[in-house]
Amino acid sequence: MKRVSFLLSVTALVLSIKADARPGDPNQVGDEVIARQRSNLEENTRGKGFGPQSPRDIDSVAGNNQVTFAAAPPYSEMNLCNIHFHKNAEHTGGQYKQYAGNGDGQGYQTGYIYSGKLTKREKAPLTREVCPGKRGGLQSGDTIEIHYVHSSARVKPGHTLGACLSDSIKNPQLRVEAQVMVLVNDANAMDFLDLTRYDMKNGFYRALTIPNNTGTPVVYSGSTTGPGYNEVASPFQVTWSVRPNILKVNIETLGKWCQGNAFDEDHAHGVRNLIVNPELLSPIK
């Protein structure tokens, strides 16, 4: 019955996104590739005791995963250990429900994008892309999802998830404060450099300007993300706090951040396939 439930979930998802996919685009893999990845993930996790996974549809509270763990403390009582971002949102829901397409099958050109409209001025392209990487850069109008990663370990901000772990505590509690942003060609929009400021406060490394005006965050139990987990489960337990509304950010300021920051981040990460298998999702209370 669980297998049938999973297959029905995948079928429903494929039908719901098919209208948004771009048939004939050589940069987009077929639906069968994504379906195979989801099937492999289901096969590789069945009966092995993995905890709930991420990302998910934050508008849905359904989930059958029975693995529970204590929620991480508020981020104000943890150490900021990493900040990074993904091109397109890994989560969906709120104001970012439009599917970007299947992408290249490796986490790029896929995910979810802002469902609203931008002005012609906001979408006006720059003369070059910002934060260029091997899979391309970013332009005005693009959606990103930023992750402020926090750890209960005594660590300081640094590169990758490794900065969140410690020789003293091999299994620290982890929390990710997530915010979806839209990059706009507007000098009056939010400054990415300001949004990523941090300092020591009350004994913790603190992100000083995590947005608090983009809707009530959806809090749930999940895992780490990224396309490396499309066919295998993440073993990390993470408390997520995902804001439903987007934030418009001046694209030029993101470009400056990518030129040098404490996290050695200079390009966008790929996204993990949305988790749709109920056995890999936690129920949201």
Side-chain angles (χ1 to χ4, degrees):
M1 180 61 71
K2 291 182 178 180
R3 173 75 170 172
V4 171
S5 175
F6 168 67
L7 291 174
L8 288 173
S9 296
V10 172
T11 301
L13 181 75
V14 169
L15 290 174
S16 69
I17 67 179
K18 212 168 184 64
D20 291 324
R22 291 170 256 180
D25 186 340
N27 297 317
Q28 298 274 333
V29 299
D31 294 337
E32 69 280 359
V33 174
I34 307 302
R36 182 171 64 250
Q37 291 177 342
R38 287 199 168 95
S39 179
N40 288 340
L41 177 63
E42 195 269 344
E43 290 287 345
N44 291 331
T45 55
R46 188 187 307 126
K48 295 184 178 179
F50 282 102
Q53 300 291 295
S54 301
R56 68 178 295 157
D57 181 348
I58 62 170
D59 287 344
S60 172
V61 300
N64 296 337
N65 192 278
Q66 299 301 308
V67 176
T68 60
F69 53 90
Y75 71 83
S76 59
E77 299 174 13
M78 305 178 75
N79 281 305
L80 174 73
C81 53
N82 180 257
I83 296 177
H84 65 272
F85 68 95
H86 300 256
K87 182 177 181 181
N88 298 333
E90 290 198 289
H91 291 84
T92 187
Q95 294 182 332
Y96 39 96
K97 297 180 180 179
Q98 184 176 342
Y99 187 56
N102 292 336
D104 63 358
Q106 300 178 53
Y108 295 89
Q109 294 85 52
T110 187
Y112 292 83
I113 60 178
Y114 177 44
S115 307
K117 296 184 181 299
L118 299 176
T119 67
K120 183 178 293 187
R121 174 187 174 187
E122 290 175 326
K123 294 187 296 183
L126 303 181
T127 57
R128 85 289 180 205
E129 293 184 320
V130 304
C131 305
K134 294 181 179 179
R135 306 300 180 100
L138 296 161
Q139 259 297 356
S140 305
D142 282 341
T143 298
I144 64 172
E145 180 172 322
I146 181 174
H147 293 163
Y148 301 86
V149 190
H150 297 76
S151 172
S152 62
R154 190 179 293 277
V155 293
K156 61 182 180 179
H159 184 54
T160 75
L161 181 63
C164 305
L165 308 178
S166 164
D167 289 338
S168 301
I169 303 177
K170 292 297 185 181
N171 62 336
Q173 289 180 290
L174 299 172
R175 172 181 283 275
V176 178
E177 299 291 322
Q179 175 65 59
V180 175
M181 303 177 177
V182 178
L183 306 178
V184 294
N185 191 347
D186 182 358
N188 294 318
M190 297 296 292
D191 186 328
F192 194 84
L193 294 168
D194 181 64
L195 289 166
T196 51
R197 287 190 300 113
Y198 71 89
D199 204 346
M200 180 69 75
K201 188 175 182 179
N202 297 329
F204 296 99
Y205 284 102
R206 292 273 303 277
L208 302 176
T209 53
I210 293 178
N212 60 5
N213 60 346
T214 49
T216 302
V218 174
V219 178
Y220 77 94
S221 297
S223 69
T224 53
T225 62
Y229 291 116
N230 275 344
E231 300 187 48
V232 295
S234 165
F236 293 96
Q237 297 178 333
V238 180
T239 298
W240 282 85
S241 182
V242 187
R243 291 145 182 80
N245 299 333
I246 63 96
L247 197 67
K248 293 181 180 179
V249 174
N250 179 0
I251 186 173
E252 295 277 15
T253 62
L254 175 62
K256 291 178 181 178
W257 187 80
C258 283
Q259 292 172 9
N261 55 77
F263 311 99
D264 293 330
E265 295 288 337
D266 60 7
H267 66 280
H269 294 257
V271 306
R272 187 185 190 184
N273 293 337
L274 195 74
I275 302 300
V276 297
N277 182 350
E279 303 309 314
L280 293 177
L281 291 171
S282 61
I284 297 179
K285 298 179 180 178

